[in-house]
């Protein structure tokens, strides 16, 4: 047809939307709408993709409407159609004319708002569309809209021209509103972008103007100048190596690009180097009277620690300069090891810094990280110097006996350099990589026990033991320190609680028998809270309550209402006046990490059956005894057999040869170990063998040898405190511990009858005064 010069025509039908519910149909044209357009092919465009030559773009010009009536051929699809004509309508109808005019007006608005519609309209009108015909005008207007296919198909199927014109006008109005919304969004975005760009350009111009006038430097130069100003006052006091490194890093920072990662690493490094107090010290107050006053205000007792600090001040006064020291305070919890560090810093007018190493397993916490790591930081000591701003602070290293170790290293080994007075003058942190002088730092460490501290680390520290407080000391601490502080923290006015002396004594002896005063403070706080509740219920208001109100008196019967039943009503299991100890039971003294305590050794005979695996004359131990204590029991059993045979004048002991013994140390849930129970076990065995009870007011401690020598023990002060708490008056110590006894305060020794034994014969005479020992 084209070769003959004729125009090609096609029928254009819109495909229906596919749904899963569409039934299967044999008609090949069933997926098309029934009403379409008889169109002339204006142009056929091939796809740009050479491999896919089947895809074509076709430009059609519609002439009139068609209705599909029957499918003639399936591939390609040929259908029979009927041509549709518009229904008859009145051209002079006023409503139709008005609608037509509104359509033209809306189209003009579209053309003014967007030039793209002008191009589309020009393309359509070149084919001679008659805009005066309402039907053709509606079709032209509908083609300008971007309505969805369903609405356009509905408009196409309308043969009633007035109805079609109304539907098309609605589509045009919607298109116009959409265009206005699009333009509004575009203006808003453009306004925001223009504002930001304008601000950016103005700021850049302002920077350029200030730089030309010398009023401002760029960020990098300002940063370098800031570091120089910070370090300049310290340049004369800083070591030469530090000055050299700072100058090198400043030059390096000036040559780096601010956007590079190395720039940030160097800047952070310089921040640390310039922030440290190189050679800067706080002036110390070397006044003995002032220091004594401060220490006595904050803490009662602890004379060993106070004397050591006064000695430190005296030496610094004579030398006209002070040196750093490493002190280690060892004692049970709650005796004031940590809190006295702050008081010492105040007495010396030094800055105070505390950090705990309990559970610490990373060496980098002490020595710092390498700068090559992301997020690298210096160690705790460098952080300390930066925070306090002085090179001579008092640093309290808490819980040094609980250091851990892991795959990140051994922190205890890292502390060797830190706590060595001969090495810490040139301490090198991994992050700084320059020597830091720590020789002026006063180090104080706290620990509950020395067993877990490595020997090399312990050798570098001066150990001061804090055994705990006796009842009189606790009474003084409670009255002078704890009670006023507790009332103030609870909002109770001064004198709002009146604790009687008898109640205070019972509170300490039956509720708070530990070596420290931490539990005592908790009970006082509990009492203060209940008193505060009672005051508020009685109408007290405002901070401090009613100062004119009568104080609330707390006596012995009131303690149960305020803090409950006493957890330690009795520590002595036996009493000579009420319930004497039976044969085979002797009181011993033990040392624990929480202080001293009394320990009862019980020995009882065991019946041995014929089919038993245990032989006659053996011993069995219970009470969670450790290996050392089990060996002490075996040694005591062997010595007791020989000693009892000597007492009876026979070659062998008839009792021990025919009797098996059971040694028990209550309470069974508490593990026990240590080399100081031998003399007590021997006495308990001989008490059972001789059927002679030992006084409940007698307590002893000491290790025994196979030849009967009484060997020295440790923890004399703690064991003496335990004896006083239990009301024991007669104590037996090894003779080698006489010097430890002489060093105790007179308040601790008063009222106690202490004997010192070189051999077990001395103990036997005191434990069994009615028994005679053969002269041989």
């Amino acid at each position: 047809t084209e070769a003959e010069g004729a125009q090609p025509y096609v029928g254009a039908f819109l495909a229906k939307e596919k749904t899963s519910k569409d039934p299967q149909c044999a008609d090949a044209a069933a997926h098309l709408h029934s009403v379409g357009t008889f169109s002339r092919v204006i142009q056929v465009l091939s796809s740009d993709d050479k491999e896919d030559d089947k895809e074509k773009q076709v430009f059609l010009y519609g002439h009139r409407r068609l209705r599909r009536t029957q499918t003639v051929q399936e591939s390609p699809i040929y259908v029979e159609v009927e041509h549709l004509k518009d229904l008859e309508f009145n051209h002079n109808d006023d409503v139709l004319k008005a609608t037509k005019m509104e359509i033209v007006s809306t189209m003009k608005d579209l053309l003014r708002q967007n030039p793209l519609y002008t191009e589309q309209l020009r393309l359509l009108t070149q084919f001679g569309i008659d805009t005066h015909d309402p039907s053709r005008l509606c079709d032209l207007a509908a083609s300008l809209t971007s309505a969805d296919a369903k609405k356009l198909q509905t408009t196409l199927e309308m043969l009633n021209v007035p109805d079609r014109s109304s539907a098309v006008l609605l589509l045009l109005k919607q298109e116009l509103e959409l265009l206005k919304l699009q333009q509004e969004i575009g203006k808003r975005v453009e306004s925001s972008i223009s504002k930001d760009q304008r601000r950016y350009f103005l700021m850049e111009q302002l920077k350029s103007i200030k730089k030309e006038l010398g009023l401002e430097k760029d960020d990098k130069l300002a940063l370098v100048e800031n570091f120089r100003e910070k370090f300049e006052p310290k340049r004369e006091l800083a070591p030469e190596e530090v000055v050299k490194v700072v100058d090198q890093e400043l030059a390096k920072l000036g040559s780096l690009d601010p956007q590079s990662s190395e720039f940030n690493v160097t800047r952070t490094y310089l921040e640390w180097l310039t922030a440290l107090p190189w050679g800067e010290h706080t002036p110390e107050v070397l006044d003995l009277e002032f220091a004594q006053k401060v220490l006595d205000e904050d803490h009662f007792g602890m004379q060993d620690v106070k004397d050591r600090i006064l000695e430190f001040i005296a030496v610094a006064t004579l030398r006209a300069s002070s040196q750093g020291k490493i002190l280690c305070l060892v004692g049970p919890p709650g005796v004031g090891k940590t809190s006295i560090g702050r008081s010492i810093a105040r007495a010396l007018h030094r800055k105070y810094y505390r950090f705990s190493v309990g559970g610490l397993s990373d060496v980098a916490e002490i020595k710092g990280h390498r700068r090559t790591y992301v997020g690298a930081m210096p160690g705790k000591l460098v952080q300390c110097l930066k925070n306090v701003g002085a090179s001579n602070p008092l640093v309290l290293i808490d819980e040094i006996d609980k250091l851990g170790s892991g795959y990140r290293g051994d922190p205890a080994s890292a502390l060797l350099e830190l706590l060595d007075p001969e090495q810490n003058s040139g301490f090198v942190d991994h992050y700084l990589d320059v020597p830091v002088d720590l020789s002026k730092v006063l180090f104080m460490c706290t620990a509950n026990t020395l067993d877990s501290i490595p020997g090399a680390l312990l050798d570098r520290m001066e150990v001061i033991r804090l055994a705990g407080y006796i009842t009189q000391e606790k009474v003084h601490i409670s009255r002078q320190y704890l009670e006023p502080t507790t009332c103030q923290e609870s909002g109770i006015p001064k004198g709002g609680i009146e604790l009687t002396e008898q109640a205070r004594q019972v509170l300490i002896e039956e509720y708070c028998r530990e070596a420290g005063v931490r539990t005592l403070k908790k009970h006082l706080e509990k009492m203060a809270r209940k008193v505060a509740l009672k005051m508020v219920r009685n109408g007290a208001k405002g901070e401090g309550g009613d100062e004119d109100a009568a104080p609330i008196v707390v006596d012995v019967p009131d303690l149960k209402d305020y803090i409950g039943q006493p957890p330690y009503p009795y520590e002595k299991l036996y009493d000579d006046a009420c319930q004497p100890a039976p044969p085979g039971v002797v009181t011993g003294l033990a040392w624990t990490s929480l202080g001293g305590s009394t320990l009862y050794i019980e020995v009882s005979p065991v019946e041995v059956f014929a089919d038993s695996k245990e032989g006659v004359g053996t011993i069995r131990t219970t009470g969670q005894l450790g290996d050392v204590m089990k060996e002490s029991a075996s040694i005591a059993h062997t010595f007791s057999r020989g000693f009892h045979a000597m007492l009876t004048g026979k070659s062998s002991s008839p009792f021990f040869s025919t009797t098996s013994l059971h040694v028990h140390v209550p309470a069974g849930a508490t593990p026990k170990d240590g080399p100081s129970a031998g003399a007590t076990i021997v006495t308990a065995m001989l008490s059972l063998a001789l059927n002679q009870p030992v006084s409940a007011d007698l307590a002893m401690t000491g290790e025994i040898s196979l030849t009967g020598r009484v060997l020295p023990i440790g923890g004399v002060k703690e064991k003496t405190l335990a004896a006083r708490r239990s009301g024991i008056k007669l104590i037996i110590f090894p003779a080698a511990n006489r010097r430890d006894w002489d060093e105790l305060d007179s308040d601790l020794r008063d009222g106690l009858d202490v004997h010192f034994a070189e051999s077990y014969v001395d103990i036997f005479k005191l434990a069994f005064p009615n028994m005679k020992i053969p002269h041989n």
Side-chain angles (χ1 to χ4, degrees), residues 120-254:
Q120 186 176 356
L121 183 62
R122 184 191 63 79
L123 187 63
L124 293 174
T125 54
Q126 68 181 355
F127 297 100
I129 296 178
D130 184 9
T131 56
H132 297 286
D133 183 3
S135 176
R136 305 297 287 175
L137 179 63
C138 290
D139 294 340
L140 173 62
S143 66
L144 295 178
T145 66
S146 58
D148 56 47
K150 185 176 181 181
K151 292 181 179 180
L152 293 177
Q153 178 67 27
T154 302
T155 305
L156 180 67
E157 294 176 359
M158 288 182 177
L159 300 180
N160 190 319
V161 175
D163 293 343
R164 191 196 310 165
S165 61
S166 298
V168 170
L169 179 59
L170 179 61
L171 294 178
L172 284 175
K173 291 294 184 182
Q174 292 177 348
E175 187 73 14
L176 183 61
E177 291 300 321
L178 182 64
L179 183 60
K180 290 180 180 179
L181 179 62
Q182 176 186 351
Q183 291 179 345
E184 182 180 350
I185 294 174
K187 288 180 180 180
R188 189 161 59 242
V189 173
E190 289 179 1
S191 175
S192 175
I193 295 176
S194 300
K195 184 177 180 181
D196 293 340
Q197 288 180 341
R198 176 181 175 80
R199 178 177 178 82
Y200 174 75
F201 291 141
L202 290 176
M203 290 300 295
E204 290 298 320
Q205 291 175 0
L206 181 62
K207 287 182 180 180
S208 300
I209 294 171
K210 285 187 175 182
K211 188 180 295 185
E212 289 294 330
L213 297 176
L215 300 177
E216 185 180 274
K217 301 178 182 178
D218 61 14
D219 294 340
K220 184 169 69 174
L221 293 178
L223 188 62
V224 172
E225 190 63 28
N226 183 34
F227 284 140
R228 291 188 187 278
E229 292 177 358
K230 286 176 60 178
F231 187 70
E232 197 59 35
K234 309 171 186 178
R235 182 176 292 271
E236 297 296 330
L237 301 175
E240 182 180 350
E241 185 175 350
V242 175
V243 175
K244 181 179 178 181
V245 170
V246 170
D247 290 340
Q248 290 176 350
E249 292 297 322
L250 286 174
K252 178 181 176 182
L253 186 70

Side-chain angles (χ1 to χ4, degrees), residues 14 53 198 295 365 442:
L14 180 66
D53 195 33
R198 176 181 175 80
L295 295 176
E365 293 290 332
L442 177 58

Side-chain angles (χ1 to χ4, degrees), residues 295-573:
L295 295 176
D296 290 341
E297 282 179 358
D298 296 343
H299 291 81
F300 180 81
M302 308 183 77
Q303 199 58 42
D304 293 342
V305 183
K306 295 178 181 178
D307 290 344
R308 184 63 188 86
I309 298 303
L310 296 178
E311 293 168 4
F312 174 82
I313 295 175
V315 172
T317 303
L318 295 177
R319 293 187 53 183
S321 65
S322 62
Q323 294 292 325
K325 291 293 180 183
I326 297 95
L327 306 179
C328 182
L329 307 182
V330 182
V335 296
K337 300 185 300 296
T338 302
S339 60
I340 198 173
R342 186 177 287 103
S343 301
I344 294 174
R346 188 162 69 93
L348 296 174
H349 199 258
R350 289 194 178 206
K351 296 295 183 66
Y352 175 76
Y353 186 84
R354 172 195 168 273
F355 70 94
S356 176
V357 294
L360 188 69
S361 60
D362 190 356
V363 174
E365 293 290 332
I366 306 296
K367 300 276 289 182
H369 302 84
R370 304 286 181 184
R371 291 199 305 277
T372 53
Y373 298 148
V374 176
M377 288 186 64
K380 286 290 186 183
L381 265 298
V382 176
Q383 297 178 35
C384 159
L385 296 181
K386 179 185 177 182
N387 291 338
V388 301
S391 297
N392 61 337
L394 186 147
V395 178
L396 183 70
I397 304 177
D398 219 354
E399 309 291 354
I400 198 171
D401 58 326
K402 299 174 181 62
L403 274 172
S405 61
Y407 68 94
R408 291 189 177 93
D410 183 13
S413 300
L415 286 173
L416 294 178
E417 179 188 1
L418 182 66
L419 299 180
D420 191 339
E422 302 298 328
Q423 300 182 39
N424 60 14
S425 59
F427 176 75
V428 178
D429 184 270
H430 288 163
Y431 183 85
L432 295 183
D433 206 23
V434 292
V436 180
D437 186 9
L438 301 178
S439 61
K440 302 293 183 182
V441 178
L442 177 58
F443 289 99
M444 289 189 64
C445 307
T446 67
N448 296 127
T449 178
L450 300 178
D451 298 339
S452 57
I453 301 178
L457 182 59
L458 186 62
D459 183 61
R460 287 163 165 77
M461 300 185 291
E462 183 178 344
V463 178
I464 300 177
R465 293 186 178 273
L466 304 176
Y469 301 107
I470 60 177
T471 302
Q472 290 80 359
E473 291 176 331
K474 287 185 178 181
V475 169
H476 187 91
I477 293 171
S478 176
R479 186 190 302 115
Q480 184 175 347
Y481 300 97
L482 299 182
E483 293 175 24
T485 304
T486 303
C487 289
Q488 182 180 359
E489 292 176 352
S490 302
I492 299 174
K494 187 177 181 180
I497 302 178
E498 185 177 326
L499 188 64
T500 64
E501 288 296 331
Q502 294 81 1
R504 189 180 291 110
Q505 194 81 13
V506 171
L507 174 63
I508 292 172
E509 291 182 351
E510 297 188 8
Y511 289 84
C512 312
R513 282 187 181 171
E514 80 286 351
V517 293
R518 189 170 293 163
T519 304
L520 177 59
K521 183 179 180 181
K522 291 179 181 178
H523 284 313
L524 290 174
E525 290 174 347
K526 185 176 182 180
M527 185 187 304
R529 290 194 298 268
K530 291 186 179 295
V531 170
L533 177 61
K534 182 180 294 186
M535 293 175 63
V536 173
R537 284 178 174 173
N538 292 337
K541 296 181 180 180
E543 185 177 356
D546 187 2
E547 297 184 357
D548 297 331
I552 296 178
V553 180
V554 179
D555 207 348
V556 176
D558 303 323
L559 291 178
K560 294 181 181 180
D561 297 331
Y562 282 106
I563 55 179
Q565 295 290 340
Y568 314 108
Y570 303 103
E571 188 167 311
K572 293 179 66 176
L573 297 180

Side-chain angles (χ1 to χ4, degrees), residues 285-302:
V285 177
L286 302 178
D287 188 342
L288 289 176
E289 294 182 0
F290 174 75
Q292 184 76 58
K293 178 183 177 182
V294 170
L295 295 176
D296 290 341
E297 282 179 358
D298 296 343
H299 291 81
F300 180 81
M302 308 183 77

